[in-house]
Amino acid sequence: MRFGLWIFLMGFWLGSATADDAELLVGKVCPVTYQQKTLGILVFSEAWYHNSRQQASYIPRDNATGIGLEIHWFANRNGELELANQAGCSRYRMLQVRTTNRRLLGDERSAQIDAPEWFVEPFYDAVPLEFGSGVHRTPQDTQDKPWSEAPKRASTLAIYDTPFVSDALGKEGQNIEVEFETCVVCQRELGYDSILSCGRWGYSREYLNGNSGWAEPEFNGTECLAQPSEHYQETVNLSESFPYSYWLDWR
């Protein structure tokens, strides 16, 4: 099947559950590869805007402090676990790194794995973070989503991220910068895991002045990466927060 047609069909499947469901608005489609074989696509939605996880809208309001994105992994025949499974995966996961110049709280680092430190594994697709797999409803918390009821989606794995930075965490005289790198991981029960392809995305809040603080977020777009960046690999390698044994070959 031609790549363009496949993307169209995947987008139709994601956004066609019922007439009342909010359709997925595709912002970027990134191929995911392993040893030069395409295993599927990583679909990044259009960004929406929200005020500290309230008042979400695709049109930014003046009081917006963050953005939201839904990210879907679609395995094709080569990547599907029950079909060719060219990479020999037991399960697919999402591993995300966050980098920011805002004020840090507690033991935070400017670049770190984007998951709670008390997680056993470093992956984003775990409770209480927002995710789904197969045919699923989007998260029930719709206050930071641009839809009033949770629409249905259908993808191999999906995460729903709604980061924000309040003015209180900005540094006087500096724009607030936040960047994420989101990668698909091939998790194996026998053998080490592999980090596959990724997408890099983020947003900025321009510093205005001492009275007005920072402007609403500006989405910086999404960049496809055939493999994780050196910054991503270094951040993961230096992390000692998770007692996870299958990534020893990443260090």
Side-chain angles (χ1 to χ4, degrees), residues 9-68:
L9 292 176
M10 292 299 98
F12 178 78
W13 188 25
L14 277 169
S16 62
T18 72
D20 296 328
D21 280 342
E23 292 188 0
L24 170 69
L25 301 181
V26 177
K28 189 77 170 182
V29 176
C30 299
V32 174
T33 60
Y34 175 74
Q35 295 182 348
Q36 300 183 331
K37 291 188 173 80
T38 300
L39 304 184
I41 54 175
L42 195 55
V43 178
F44 294 81
S45 74
E46 292 282 355
W48 64 84
Y49 303 83
H50 60 95
N51 177 19
S52 303
R53 301 207 168 100
Q54 304 284 332
Q55 302 176 320
S57 170
Y58 284 108
I59 299 174
R61 295 183 171 90
D62 290 341
N63 62 351
T65 59
I67 65 168

Side-chain angles (χ1 to χ4, degrees), residues 60-100:
R61 295 183 171 90
D62 290 341
N63 62 351
T65 59
I67 65 168
L69 220 62
E70 47 181 311
I71 304 172
H72 294 267
W73 156 236
F74 265 112
N76 64 12
R77 185 175 183 83
N78 284 336
E80 185 60 51
L81 302 183
E82 304 302 322
L83 296 176
N85 194 6
Q86 293 282 351
C89 308
S90 302
R91 183 181 179 187
Y92 289 111
R93 311 300 300 270
M94 294 274 200
L95 182 62
Q96 185 164 273
V97 162
R98 184 213 70 195
T99 305
T100 184

Side-chain angles (χ1 to χ4, degrees), residues 235-248:
T235 301
V236 171
N237 289 343
L238 292 176
S239 177
E240 298 178 350
S241 300
F242 304 95
Y244 183 65
S245 60
Y246 293 99
W247 61 350
L248 293 177

